[in-house]
Amino acid sequence: MPQSSEVWPGEPHPLGAWFQRAPQGPEGTNFALWAGGAEAVDLCLFDDDGHETRYRLEELTPEIWHGFLPGVRPGQRYGYRVHGPWDPGNGARWNPAKLLIDPYARAIDAGQDACVTTENGTTCLPAEVYGHVRDWHRQDAADTVRDDRDSAPFVPKGVVVDDELTGGAGQDDRRPATDWADSVIYELHVRGFTMRHPGIPEHLRGTYAGLAHPAAVEHLTSLGVTAVELLPVHQFVHEDHLLRRGLRTYWGYSSIGYFAPHAAYSASGSRGQQVSEFRQLVRTLHAAGIEVILDVVYNHTAEGSHLGPTLSLRGISNTGYYRLADDPRYYADYTGCGNTLHVVQPQVLRLITDSLRYWVTEMGVDGFRFDLAAALARAMHDVDMLSPFLAVIAQDPVLRRVKLIAEPWDVGSGGYQVGAFPPLWTEWNDRYRDTVRDFWRGALPDVRDLGYRLSGSSDLYAWGGRRPYASVNFVTSHDGFTLRDLVSYERKHNEANGDGNRDGTDDNRSWNCGAEGETDDPRITALRRRQLRNLLTTLLLSTGVPMLVAGDEMGRTQRGNNNAYCQDNEISWLDWSLRDDPGWRALLDLTRRLIRLRRAHPVLRRRAFFSGRRQGPHGMRDLGWFAADGKEMTEEDWYAPGSTLGMFLSGRDIPQRDDRGRPVTDDSFLVLLHAGAEDVAFPLPGAPWADAYELLADTSREDQAGPPGSRHPGGSVLTLPARSVLLLRALPPGAG
């Protein structure tokens, strides 16, 4: 607690709570809060017993309330109470009875995470954290009556952080700086990845320190991925409807603190230790050559709809932070989560960009995946690729240099924007996901779309200077079936979520191979494992940036749950015993082999789109397509029903130079994909494509520990096994 009750004027910038050491001036902390439209702001400090002391801040700078308190040191817990009119019909929801989390808090002590247990044993959010009186019998009017009960005992508190002690990003942290074209992304959940890992000490499981443990890092490095994409690690809160069902928020898409690492993932404490622990995780992964990408949720907050709790932005400046509907009592909801941040407002843009820069410059991260990015790109109502948000990112000297991934849609009108983001951005390509799923379940009417997806999706991205790596290719993500469930279930099984199996998508494009769910039938089991090998091999041999989901490489299952957002348990946590199962070990080994192959051959990670034109005197194309009869595809072939496609990738025609300006050349490869239920005879292309071919991989085989190694002359007939991918290396003249 401070040494004096006196509040000095302090400074309006930077926003948040910033500790000042004695050699730089009087020791203490500067507090600054933007609260547009407010009438007064109280800074509230809490001691270890929860006793509160309030200090009135002055609005000495327009709309920014600030003050310096001598003697306030790191570890101090704090919050705000903001005064103003209560007029929900006009969008005003100020209520000084509600303690508010500082939007710029860099650590949040969530030991009290707003959860209480009622007399009947139900866990829920207490009524005190709502700005309005909750009337579950009259929800149409419940939000218009102000609740004057104090929420402070139940609301997480901001924590003053000492940046020198928490160890900001510095020269000792060497970023891998992996080129986009060379990247292989691995999407994982900090808690789910580590909770059941036998090599991680029990007290570190579920934490940043657990993910930084050598046992966790070894799996990532042996797999060969270049980046981890972490599901949300911004501080989040649990949703009330889940608590009432005995569940909890797991994925973390209910952010409430855009600067603070989620405290529950810290093994060392929540009074600033979570900041140090996360920074050490980033350093450890960087030392292993692995970049860190954060999945970030700037499109909405945990405060939800007009019936949601008042925890931060709603009580600071509801009209300043959120998009309101034509009737300002309600929110414009382009996210499906109850509210949408008003990103065209300067203070909201500042909040987001300040947060992004902080995570790059101080926490050391290498990029971001933006949840529902189309909502951020909306100007007034429509999605606009010249929107303020995209313009600010493009000119920012820090942010334009990091990896930026858009989830290029939201739930509003016109929100589907795959292929539309500007050149600085890459995108989750759900067209790739759907096409590859449909091909391997036998549901593609023809192979036109498959050709585009395998070769970098030029139909979506070959404009405005974009490159093949604008496409983040994925077959599965956290949202939906796991890879194993994709070949084991045709229907979602989300009963454990408590919503009558109504949640989650019904458009799974899955095939259970003849039985719903787990089975002991050896024929079905063998087919499913072959299909897994087909899907992973297709992904890792496609042009673009592949993204794997943690556990798919060793057969993780969620028991048919395609929306495990609330399953913080063994449904979602990785089962590491699968690594010791011989069948799943073979899948893991294949994944490692394919990633090594991809890393070794630049023709598999091109930086420019294929031209498809014949090149030079040899008469070859840089990309060749072949029908089931072994002949080059005609226009008619692309429109005809088919389950077989051959793709020749020429290593002689790569439009790329090495670090010394020399042309890059590589081996050439023939990839044969056959989704049919019967074996087919495929005549191998002869001259000028190749004199002979060496078989490197065959997904019809369970054991891929070593390459098959057999050689086949050009022009000879090769049997394509049912439902398989064959990878062949083209041999130069005289080698066959």
Side-chain angles (χ1 to χ4, degrees):
M1 300 297 290
Q3 299 167 352
S4 167
S5 61
E6 181 181 5
V7 181
W8 300 356
E11 299 293 336
H13 305 293
L15 296 175
W18 292 86
F19 174 64
Q20 177 177 283
R21 289 183 173 277
Q24 299 153 356
E27 184 170 274
T29 300
N30 192 84
F31 296 88
L33 176 74
W34 182 91
E39 295 174 351
V41 171
D42 292 330
L43 169 66
C44 308
L45 303 187
F46 295 85
D47 65 18
D48 290 342
D49 294 325
H51 297 135
E52 176 183 353
T53 304
R54 301 184 189 181
Y55 301 86
R56 179 61 55 90
L57 299 183
E58 299 294 334
E59 186 190 21
L60 299 176
T61 303
E63 298 190 324
I64 297 179
W65 306 75
H66 53 90
F68 181 88
L69 267 72
V72 171
R73 297 184 53 78
Q76 174 66 58
R77 298 187 305 152
Y78 73 99
Y80 291 105
R81 298 181 187 273
V82 181
H83 302 255
W86 174 263
D87 185 6
N90 288 309
R93 293 182 178 271
W94 283 284
N95 184 347
K98 307 307 168 184
L99 186 74
L100 305 174
I101 301 169
D102 180 4
Y104 278 75
R106 288 170 293 143
I108 293 175
D109 179 17
Q112 304 172 72
D113 61 1
C115 303
V116 298
T117 302
T118 64
E119 292 181 358
N120 64 7
T122 301
T123 304
C124 64
L125 294 181
E128 287 87 344
V129 302
Y130 291 80
H132 59 275
V133 175
R134 290 198 302 178
D135 183 348
W136 297 107
H137 303 290
R138 296 186 59 218
Q139 291 209 13
D140 61 324
D143 67 302
T144 60
V145 180
R146 195 173 80 171
D147 185 310
D148 290 328
R149 288 174 291 181
D150 184 13
S151 69
F154 310 103
V155 176
K157 314 297 190 293
V159 178
V160 176
V161 171
D162 186 340
D163 288 290
E164 290 189 23
L165 293 180
T166 54
Q171 294 183 354
D172 60 324
D173 182 17
R174 303 298 182 186
R175 298 174 185 263
T178 306
D179 288 343
W180 259 125
D182 299 332
S183 296
V184 178
I185 297 174
Y186 190 73
E187 187 193 40
L188 67 81
H189 189 286
V190 170
R191 181 168 168 83
F193 186 80
T194 59
M195 277 300 292
R196 302 174 70 187
H197 197 301
I200 298 174
E202 190 169 348
H203 70 283
L204 297 181
R205 294 177 187 174
T207 69
Y208 306 121
L211 183 55
H213 189 273
V217 177
E218 186 279 331
H219 182 78
L220 301 172
T221 55
S222 67
L223 193 59
V225 298
T226 68
V228 292
E229 182 175 304
L230 304 181
L231 266 69
V233 297
H234 288 163
Q235 184 68 47
F236 63 85
V237 297
H238 298 290
E239 299 167 59
D240 191 61
H241 74 282
L242 295 179
L243 294 172
R244 291 174 180 274
R245 296 174 187 170
L247 302 169
R248 296 169 76 83
T249 299
Y250 174 65
W251 286 349
Y253 290 92
S254 53
S255 301
I256 201 65
Y258 290 133
F259 291 77
H262 188 57
Y265 298 161
S266 172
S268 51
S270 61
R271 293 290 188 94
Q273 296 94 333
Q274 64 266 55
V275 180
S276 303
E277 191 172 319
F278 184 87
R279 283 170 168 164
Q280 186 56 50
L281 165 63
V282 174
R283 287 193 183 93
T284 299
L285 292 176
H286 282 177
I290 298 170
E291 293 185 306
V292 178
I293 298 171
L294 301 187
D295 192 337
V296 289
V297 190
Y298 294 112
N299 56 81
H300 74 279
T301 75
E303 292 184 303
S305 72
H306 62 294
L307 298 175
T310 295
L311 299 170
S312 184
L313 304 183
R314 192 198 308 276
I316 294 171
S317 180
N318 190 53
T319 58
Y321 278 112
Y322 291 116
R323 289 181 180 267
L324 303 183
D326 292 337
D327 180 347
R329 174 182 165 189
Y330 305 102
Y331 295 93
D333 184 8
Y334 296 109
T335 67
C337 299
N339 64 56
T340 306
L341 281 178
H342 202 353
V343 182
V344 299
Q345 295 277 30
Q347 64 274 7
V348 181
L349 271 175
R350 179 181 178 183
L351 172 67
I352 295 173
T353 53
D354 283 353
S355 168
L356 291 169
R357 281 190 295 268
Y358 173 75
W359 285 93
V360 173
T361 61
E362 297 300 320
M363 303 296 268
V365 305
D366 305 284
F368 306 93
R369 178 264 187 190
F370 291 81
D371 179 66
L372 300 181
L376 300 174
R378 289 184 181 271
M380 294 309 296
H381 297 289
D382 296 332
V383 178
D384 182 1
M385 292 305 158
L386 298 176
S387 68
F389 171 74
L390 295 178
V392 166
I393 296 292
Q395 62 79 42
D396 189 283
V398 172
L399 301 179
R400 68 191 181 199
R401 299 170 66 90
V402 302
K403 288 182 166 65
L404 303 172
I405 306 171
E407 184 184 37
W409 51 78
D410 63 20
V411 302
S413 175
Y416 187 75
Q417 295 289 325
V418 173
F421 274 71
L424 189 64
W425 291 74
T426 64
E427 300 175 10
W428 269 25
N429 186 354
D430 69 328
R431 289 277 299 276
Y432 180 95
R433 175 198 65 196
D434 293 349
T435 298
V436 171
R437 289 186 179 191
D438 281 346
F439 176 73
W440 285 112
R441 70 187 181 108
L444 273 187
D446 54 55
V447 294
R448 281 179 298 160
D449 209 45
L450 180 65
Y452 277 121
R453 304 309 143 230
L454 295 173
S455 58
S457 295
S458 60
D459 58 329
L460 299 175
Y461 301 112
W463 64 272
R466 303 193 81 180
R467 296 288 186 264
Y469 47 79
S471 176
V472 175
N473 299 331
F474 66 103
V475 178
T476 57
S477 67
H478 69 276
D479 188 1
F481 280 149
T482 68
L483 202 64
R484 178 174 169 180
D485 289 354
L486 189 66
V487 300
S488 304
Y489 297 89
E490 291 191 4
R491 302 181 303 278
K492 65 188 181 187
H493 295 268
N494 298 352
E495 291 82 6
N497 295 356
D499 199 27
N501 206 36
R502 293 184 298 272
D503 63 304
T505 182
D506 293 311
D507 184 20
N508 294 297
R509 302 176 188 242
S510 59
W511 177 45
N512 65 18
C513 298
E516 186 71 359
E518 296 301 312
T519 179
D520 293 329
D521 188 322
R523 294 178 297 106
I524 294 176
T525 299
L527 176 56
R528 287 176 176 175
R529 293 190 178 188
R530 179 181 293 201
Q531 287 289 82
L532 290 178
R533 294 192 293 273
N534 290 335
L535 290 162
L536 278 172
T537 301
T538 303
L539 174 65
L540 291 170
L541 296 181
S542 297
T543 300
V545 179
M547 184 185 79
L548 302 165
V549 178
D552 275 354
E553 72 277 11
M554 51 188 183
R556 182 175 74 93
T557 177
Q558 292 180 171
R559 308 170 198 167
N561 192 320
N562 74 351
N563 190 34
Y565 75 106
C566 56
Q567 298 298 328
D568 188 4
N569 50 49
E570 293 186 357
I571 291 176
S572 298
W573 302 342
L574 267 67
D575 179 3
W576 289 93
S577 69
L578 293 169
R579 289 192 305 178
D580 300 322
D581 181 294
W584 300 121
R585 182 73 187 193
L587 183 67
L588 176 59
D589 289 341
L590 174 63
T591 307
R592 288 169 170 163
R593 275 194 66 223
L594 291 170
I595 292 176
R596 286 197 302 269
L597 186 76
R598 183 181 183 90
R599 177 171 290 187
H601 292 284
V603 71
L604 299 176
R605 39 190 176 80
R606 287 175 55 105
R607 287 161 166 75
F609 287 106
F610 297 95
S611 71
R613 296 187 297 271
R614 296 194 181 276
Q615 306 286 328
H618 50 74
M620 284 177 55
R621 306 178 193 276
D622 58 357
L623 175 65
W625 298 106
F626 296 88
D629 60 5
K631 297 179 181 178
E632 286 195 67
M633 295 279 287
T634 65
E635 187 73 13
E636 292 76 15
D637 290 332
W638 286 109
Y639 289 86
S643 58
T644 305
L645 183 63
M647 176 176 66
F648 188 96
L649 306 171
S650 173
R652 289 187 280 179
D653 303 293
I654 303 174
Q656 182 180 331
R657 295 184 178 273
D658 64 17
D659 293 341
R660 298 186 179 183
R662 297 167 299 193
V664 172
T665 59
D666 193 12
D667 293 333
S668 297
F669 295 93
L670 178 64
V671 183
L672 303 176
L673 302 96
H674 175 50
E678 304 293 336
D679 296 354
V680 297
F682 184 89
L684 292 169
W689 302 99
D691 286 353
Y693 298 87
E694 178 187 12
L695 183 62
L696 298 183
D698 177 357
T699 62
S700 70
R701 296 160 48 99
E702 180 83 22
D703 181 12
Q704 295 282 325
S710 57
R711 296 190 175 192
H712 305 271
S716 64
V717 176
L718 182 68
T719 297
L720 293 185
R723 298 191 175 95
S724 67
V725 180
L726 270 59
L727 173 66
L728 302 102
R729 183 169 66 93
L731 299 177

